[in-house]
Amino acid sequence: MNLSNVKGSTMSTPSSSGSHLRSTGDAVSDQFPAGLRVLVVDDDPTCLMILEKMLKACLYEVTKCKCAEAALELLRGNKNGFDIVISDVHMPDMDGFKLLEHIGLEMDLPVIMMSADDGKHVVMKGVTHGACDYLIKPVRIEALKNIWQHVVRKRKTGWRDPEQSGSIDEGDRQQKVSDDADYSSSANEGKSSKKRRDEEEDADERDDSSTLKKPRVVWSVELHQQFMAAVNQLGIDKAVPKKILELMNVPGLTRENVASHLQKYRLYLRRLSGVSQQQNNLNNSFMNPQDPTFGSTSINGIDLQALSVAGQLPAQSLAKLQAAGLGRSTAKPVMSMPLVEQRNLFSFESPKLRFGEGQMQHLNTNKPINLLHGIPTNMEPKQLANLHQSAQSLGNLNMRINASVAQRSPLLMQMGQSQPRGQMIGENGSHVNQLPTSLLQPTVPNRISNGVIRNGIASSSNINAAYNQVPQSSSFLNFPMNQTNEMSVRSFPLGSHPGISNITTKGMLQEEVTSGIKGSSGFVPNYDIFNELQPQKSQDWDLTTAGLTYDATQHSNHVQGNTDVSVSPSVLVHPGFTSIQQTGQNRDTTSSMGKDMFSIGEGMDQGNLQNISQPQNPLLVDNSVRVKAERVPDASSQTNFFPEQYGQEDLMSALLKQEGIGLAENEFDFDGYSLDNIPV
Amino acid sequence: MDKVRLQREAAFIRSSLLDQGYLDEQFIQLEELQDNDNPNFVEEVVTLFYTDSARLIYNIDQALLSNPTDFTKLDDYMHQFKGSCSSIGAKKVKNECNGFGEYCEAQNYDGCFRTFQQIKQEYINLKKKLETYFQLLKEAAQIK
């Protein structure tokens, strides 16, 4: 082994210096744990530098990363390039726990969390999200010396014979199942098997001196779809890994693989349901839109309600929206976001996939925006930011998205068909939320989802509704990710949440999207801007939505080329907010439209847009590349909303005032959606 | 000045910083990490800290100026700042941050504002002392 290499490598490729560890799986090499390939993620450069030095002093091979997105990219690019990940909890672009989840689902590597925060609940969060350890800053070198144990532990569990380990599982991971009380024992097994699976999944080339490596199971979209189909068939409560495995009938798949995947899936569902419950509560309160500022209060009410039903909007978000709408200052939306984020974990994944890696990247930051596009939500800037974050993380989860999308699609389809409107399928169908919006039309969904997924962000809050729409995977365009399925899923939510809320988010998203598209990393600042603009938005949003809805319908033609969804501008830009207001659905459609836009851009055929029928939010713009603001900018609207006009309150108001603001940004294929309204 | 004298002076500054609680154990950890491969590691880290934290201080200042006050953001920035301080062992500064956090939670703007002025003061104090310290070390190293 080359110890000397270890010291010097910072961004070394895994293969190079890890060679010393690459034994044939025999007894642990003497060198171990030296050469352990560690990925450190922290936005604080001081900490990063110190950690790097410490890890090198432990003779580990260190790779530094300043942001979570980059880290995920790195991990995805080198699936077996790292042995362990150390990540900070508080990071600007993505929550550390979210990163943790992604890594757990996609790569199944041991992840150590660290933070200056030693509060019990934070540490507990680490545990529940699956971190294998939690370090308090300042981290001492002694704490780092032993991190190799987590790697070995993970490997060892997979080293055993799967069947054998299966039986062992039941006995030994009960504590993990604590929160899965209602889960069948398979869930428990899933957890432990998941750990084992880590071992199994280590790539062959992964040098692990201590355990036998088994090929890692990659949960592709198709595989996940099969999984979802099996789970649905059995019923979520009765779904046990063994039966699922039998139903899936995939050669080479082991019960442990299924079990651990099921475990993750359940966690995901649980998070979603937790959110939806909250939302439901909120809905009631919001149901009486009284505030004219919302514009179409009724719509807002609907939207909010729908959103909450859909579980899309965390209760808190709704509250905030309301407050915002009413001109009040709302409480920290932050709370709500986590819920949304969680939820989005699965849902967003799809959108991310859609865009394809490259695009996603770009979108990562934009993600939040995308999702929100379709959904005019009066989310507080913070919320948006959160969504953003989640969206971003979603983007990164290509794999996951596929899986989730796949799973969603079937469900959504079913749901959508049976109840095209107002059904949000948060989860595979287990959580079907009734969405007032009728956007969820079976036909539409496809498009929407594509669009939606793309944006990922858009779907964040409203998307759930979109699920119903259409999870069709096939129709999705060129999403590089091949995640068409996901796309559909995503788009739904947007479509379905017509309300103002969507608009708001859209606006915000737009801004972000713009930045995203531009490749700027200035999302964060956007949030701030939004905050400022936020107050004014509520009203405007309504208008915006109205305008959007109109546009949405028009979209149908735009799906251009790959990413441009150009909706006939003329139609879109409607000063007629009123019209929109009439239909809560419009909103939804708008959002969905927006989504469509994305998808269209992706390659969706325009026809989809049409299906959407409900004006989807043209704003949905897909941050990524497509946004071609084709929409013929209405004379009244100035579409430039996003682009660089961030943070100008006047701008915002002005935008909002314009009805049907055309899409200014090319990036947004809104086709004349009044993205303008979106305060940049 | 001769080498030994310089080194002694530097050592004096160092031990007084540690004794008086300006710096803590973490600083010593950093020193232990320093080796022939990175002979100026500690200084590099401290410099990086001051550069990066200047940005956070600016953000906090701005946040304190904006209206209405966003306590969440303030808390967030402060959390980052505190994490940074703790990683180089800036004990006194870090402790002042705790007070700030409490005021943030109580949404007490005045408390936050005042505490932050104190934090900045401690921060600058430490910076000056460390600058002198490293300067002495550098000079000593240059001799002979």
Side-chain angles (χ1 to χ4, degrees), chain B residues 121-137:
Chain B
Q121 201 54 49
E122 287 292 344
Y123 172 85
I124 292 169
N125 277 350
L126 181 64
K127 184 175 181 191
K128 289 206 184 105
K129 292 185 157 74
L130 284 173
E131 273 169 0
T132 311
Y133 170 69
F134 289 120
Q135 184 61 31
L136 287 170
L137 284 181

Side-chain angles (χ1 to χ4, degrees), chain A residues 371-583:
Chain A
L371 294 176
L372 294 178
H373 279 302
I375 310 174
T377 47
N378 296 322
M379 304 215 19
E380 298 274 13
K382 256 212 157 127
Q383 291 178 352
L384 282 178
N386 291 332
L387 284 179
H388 182 76
Q389 291 181 2
S390 29
Q392 291 183 351
S393 53
L394 287 177
N396 293 326
L397 290 175
N398 296 330
M399 285 311 299
R400 290 215 309 160
I401 301 183
N402 289 329
S404 42
V405 175
Q407 78 182 50
R408 286 225 218 177
S409 312
L411 290 179
L412 289 178
M413 286 307 297
Q414 297 166 16
M415 301 296 307
Q417 289 163 6
S418 49
Q419 311 175 20
R421 303 297 197 146
Q423 283 215 357
M424 295 256 313
I425 300 190
E427 289 294 337
N428 302 326
S430 354
H431 309 263
V432 177
N433 300 313
Q434 294 292 331
L435 291 178
T437 59
S438 53
L439 292 179
L440 306 179
Q441 296 169 5
T443 50
V444 176
N446 289 325
R447 286 214 279 171
I448 302 183
S449 46
N450 289 337
V452 174
I453 298 189
R454 293 249 284 213
N455 299 324
I457 300 179
S459 49
S460 55
S461 34
N462 314 335
I463 303 190
N464 291 330
Y467 285 127
N468 295 325
Q469 306 189 351
V470 183
Q472 319 239 18
S473 37
S474 51
S475 53
F476 294 86
L477 321 164
N478 333 316
F479 288 92
M481 312 291 293
N482 299 322
Q483 323 262 338
T484 49
N485 293 333
E486 301 181 341
M487 305 224 328
S488 32
V489 176
R490 298 272 172 225
S491 48
F492 295 112
L494 289 176
S496 43
H497 294 282
I500 298 188
S501 54
N502 291 339
I503 300 186
T504 311
T505 39
K506 271 211 278 197
M508 314 227 347
L509 287 176
Q510 302 270 342
E511 198 171 295
E512 299 183 344
V513 174
T514 314
S515 46
I517 300 187
K518 295 199 182 199
S520 61
S521 50
F523 278 98
V524 181
N526 293 339
Y527 288 115
D528 295 340
I529 296 174
F530 276 123
N531 287 322
E532 295 156 7
L533 297 173
Q534 215 39 67
Q536 322 176 5
K537 298 191 200 149
S538 47
Q539 308 187 9
D540 295 332
W541 289 120
D542 296 345
L543 293 181
T544 311
T545 334
L548 295 177
T549 50
Y550 273 92
D551 296 336
T553 41
Q554 309 295 333
H555 286 301
S556 52
N557 340 327
H558 295 286
V559 184
Q560 318 176 4
N562 307 327
T563 43
D564 301 353
V565 179
S566 32
V567 180
S568 51
S570 52
V571 181
L572 294 178
V573 180
H574 268 284
F577 288 114
T578 51
S579 50
I580 297 183
Q581 300 183 352
Q582 308 160 351
T583 8

Side-chain angles (χ1 to χ4, degrees), chain A residues 20-324:
Chain A
H20 59 279
L21 285 180
R22 301 241 165 95
S23 51
T24 46
D26 295 346
V28 180
S29 126
D30 307 342
Q31 313 288 11
F32 189 83
L36 196 72
R37 297 160 306 170
V38 185
L39 175 66
V40 185
V41 189
D42 195 339
D43 62 306
D44 182 345
T46 314
C47 277
L48 209 56
M49 186 174 178
I50 297 174
L51 278 169
E52 186 196 15
K53 193 79 180 65
M54 285 183 174
L55 289 165
K56 284 191 180 162
C58 296
L59 302 181
Y60 296 149
E61 199 184 298
V62 188
T63 307
K64 292 190 293 192
C65 235
K66 282 207 192 70
C67 67
E69 294 288 345
L72 269 179
E73 285 312 309
L74 203 58
L75 285 166
R76 292 197 183 121
N78 298 304
K79 280 275 167 155
N80 297 304
F82 299 96
D83 298 311
I84 189 166
V85 180
I86 301 181
S87 169
D88 185 34
V89 167
H90 297 276
M91 290 187 287
D93 67 332
M94 187 195 296
D95 181 38
F97 294 117
K98 203 147 218 55
L99 176 66
L100 167 60
E101 283 177 354
H102 283 319
I103 296 178
L105 277 176
E106 289 183 45
M107 296 120 205
D108 227 359
L109 286 175
V111 182
I112 294 177
M113 303 304 294
M114 29 162 215
S115 176
D117 193 352
D118 61 350
K120 198 172 94 167
H121 67 286
V122 186
V123 180
M124 177 60 84
K125 224 175 150 190
V127 172
T128 54
H129 281 74
C132 59
D133 204 351
Y134 191 102
L135 304 176
I136 309 290
K137 285 185 180 174
V139 179
R140 295 176 65 94
I141 194 171
E142 290 80 22
L144 294 176
K145 281 208 176 105
N146 291 327
I147 62 173
W148 58 267
Q149 63 174 296
H150 303 294
V151 178
V152 173
R153 192 174 293 122
K154 259 198 186 237
R155 290 188 186 159
K156 266 208 174 333
T157 48
W159 183 60
R160 292 189 213 131
D161 172 22
E163 290 318 306
Q164 181 183 4
S165 54
S167 50
I168 296 176
D169 277 344
E170 304 230 57
D172 84 1
R173 304 238 179 200
Q174 320 248 302
Q175 64 275 10
K176 288 194 190 106
V177 201
S178 54
D179 60 339
D180 297 346
D182 45 338
Y183 284 5
S184 63
S185 60
S186 58
N188 296 342
E189 291 174 331
K191 197 88 182 197
S192 46
S193 59
K194 176 204 170 173
K195 295 247 171 217
R196 270 205 304 278
R197 194 156 67 86
D198 294 344
E199 295 299 336
E200 298 170 1
E201 293 176 350
D202 285 350
D204 297 332
E205 71 222 7
R206 208 108 163 228
D207 55 58
D208 182 5
S209 49
S210 59
T211 59
L212 194 61
K213 298 244 174 55
K214 294 194 183 142
R216 178 184 287 276
V217 171
V218 167
W219 283 88
S220 64
V221 178
E222 292 78 24
L223 204 58
H224 188 72
Q225 271 177 333
Q226 285 178 286
F227 170 81
M228 291 295 309
V231 169
N232 292 333
Q233 197 174 326
L234 294 168
I236 191 68
D237 292 328
K238 295 214 182 63
V240 289
K242 206 160 201 179
K243 293 202 185 132
I244 296 173
L245 187 64
E246 284 165 21
L247 279 175
M248 283 177 73
N249 196 22
V250 171
L253 195 67
T254 69
R255 195 193 60 75
E256 283 71 20
N257 298 144
V258 174
S260 70
H261 193 77
L262 178 67
Q263 180 76 358
K264 290 175 188 165
Y265 180 65
R266 286 198 173 159
L267 280 172
Y268 167 70
L269 289 182
R270 187 185 295 199
R271 269 198 295 278
L272 286 183
S273 63
V275 175
S276 43
Q277 279 164 17
Q278 289 187 9
Q279 296 185 353
N280 285 326
N281 295 338
L282 273 183
N283 282 332
N284 297 334
S285 55
F286 289 115
M287 283 317 288
N288 317 318
Q290 347 31 21
D291 197 16
T293 51
F294 278 101
S296 47
T297 46
S298 57
I299 300 182
N300 289 336
I302 294 174
D303 295 334
L304 289 176
Q305 194 175 18
L307 286 176
S308 35
V309 173
Q312 299 306 325
L313 281 186
Q316 295 171 347
S317 316
L318 284 177
K320 290 203 201 302
L321 292 175
Q322 280 291 339

Side-chain angles (χ1 to χ4, degrees), chain A residues 7 43-47 49-50 53-54 57 90 92 115-117 137-142 332 334 382 528 531, chain B residues 25-26 29-30 33 35 37-38 41 44-45 48-49 52 70 72-73 76-77 79-80 83-84 86-88 94:
Chain A
K7 268 210 150 167
D43 62 306
D44 182 345
T46 314
C47 277
M49 186 174 178
I50 297 174
K53 193 79 180 65
M54 285 183 174
H90 297 276
S115 176
D117 193 352
K137 285 185 180 174
V139 179
R140 295 176 65 94
I141 194 171
E142 290 80 22
K332 292 180 11 172
V334 181
K382 256 212 157 127
D528 295 340
N531 287 322
Chain B
E25 171 67 25
Q26 182 66 13
Q29 286 255 316
L30 296 185
L33 284 173
D35 55 18
D37 285 351
N38 294 91
F41 178 69
E44 281 166 19
V45 174
L48 181 57
F49 164 72
D52 188 59
D70 186 344
T72 311
K73 217 193 280 186
D76 227 27
Y77 288 140
H79 181 86
Q80 292 179 46
S84 263
S86 68
S87 63
I88 67 152
K94 185 184 69 165

